[in-house]
Amino acid sequence: MQLTSAWVQALSGLAVGTVLGFAIQRSRLCSFGAIEDFLMGGDSRRLRVFALALGIALLGTQALVLAGMVSPAETTYAPAALPLLSIVIGSVAFGVGMALVGTCGMGSLVRLGTGDLRGLVVIVILGAAAYAMLRGIFADFRIIFLERVSVSLPEAGTDIAALVSRAAGIELRPLIAAVFGIALCLLAVRDARLRRTPRLLAAGVVLGLLVTAGWFLTSFLHDEFSGPARPQSLTFVSTVGKAVFAGLLNAQAFADFGVGSVIGTVLGAYLAALFAREFRWEAFDDDREMRRHLVGAGLMGVGGILAGGCTIGQGITAGSMLALSWPLSVIGIIAGARLGIAFLMDETPGTLISRNVSRLFSRES
């Protein structure tokens, strides 16, 4: 019964991932591209799409929490202690790696689906590094040295809404979810230029709905006789590591929602590329590009595990659960991406600081 339940969840993950991969490939939505557009060009359109996805996911997920269908305490995003050092180091490392690769874990899966063999190399290295940090040779270092530097929380399962409600003495989760969710959605739809790109808006809506669907499906399809439920949704670091492990060592490990979503994302991107007649084989231009991708993939794998997720896993999925790690990880990933861009542009630390300070003062004036 337990194995059957796991395979059903894996198939649901495959379906969710297929829809996601199709939508992302057709819209050309990329989390690193969105950050780069905003930091380097002042264009916030794609970043607003992710805000829309987060707003929809937050509203949907918190509705599930309020209905008693999903419990934050049963997820990995509400631990008994917040590992601050691990989150800071991991999120910055992930951001740097993302800049070196030119996309995140989800984007690499989409690349692979369109025939780009750079995506295959990144996925294999990212997955191996992630699994080594999660359960392999680096796991003891992570647990003993990095995660020990943490802040204890009042009780297990604490998230932003629970913490604020506890401080106020009344239940504020519905209000917090409504205010944050609606504000994020409005931030996106108020942009006139973005409203003229319906494909991008549609991708944001799909991403938000799929994150909510992930939480619902992994709770609804769980066999209660097989043990405590562990609801999950879209993330593309630990799940990539599990997929690589399953392919190399244990086929039974494919029976997992996350692993199914990884495979589905590649499949969906492949179908979208075929539909648009855009499938073509590509590879590295030279050895320098390959070295950059290898280092970036390793940083994303290690950093994603330390941070507890990627731009999707922390930026959208953890955000939908109002996890305390969510804002810290997002800030760290953006900072790391900016450092990675500076490295690619051969900027010195002094140049980087002075340029951003000048930009800050020019905006204020």
Side-chain angles (χ1 to χ4, degrees), residues 78-94:
L82 190 66
L84 288 178
L85 181 61
S86 178
I87 291 172
V88 171
I89 293 175
S91 59
V92 172
F94 183 90

Side-chain angles (χ1 to χ4, degrees), residues 282-295:
E282 297 182 57
F284 296 103
D285 294 330
D286 51 38
D287 59 336
R288 186 170 181 269
E289 183 186 25
M290 184 172 184
R291 288 196 302 270
R292 190 175 76 244
H293 277 69
L294 292 175
V295 173

Side-chain angles (χ1 to χ4, degrees), residues 208-239:
L209 291 175
L210 290 178
V211 168
T212 304
W215 290 122
F216 171 76
L217 290 170
T218 54
S219 298
F220 178 74
L221 297 175
H222 177 74
D223 177 16
E224 61 182 10
F225 295 104
S226 64
R230 177 65 80 176
Q232 58 178 308
S233 192
L234 295 174
T235 187
F236 295 100
V237 178
S238 61
T239 52

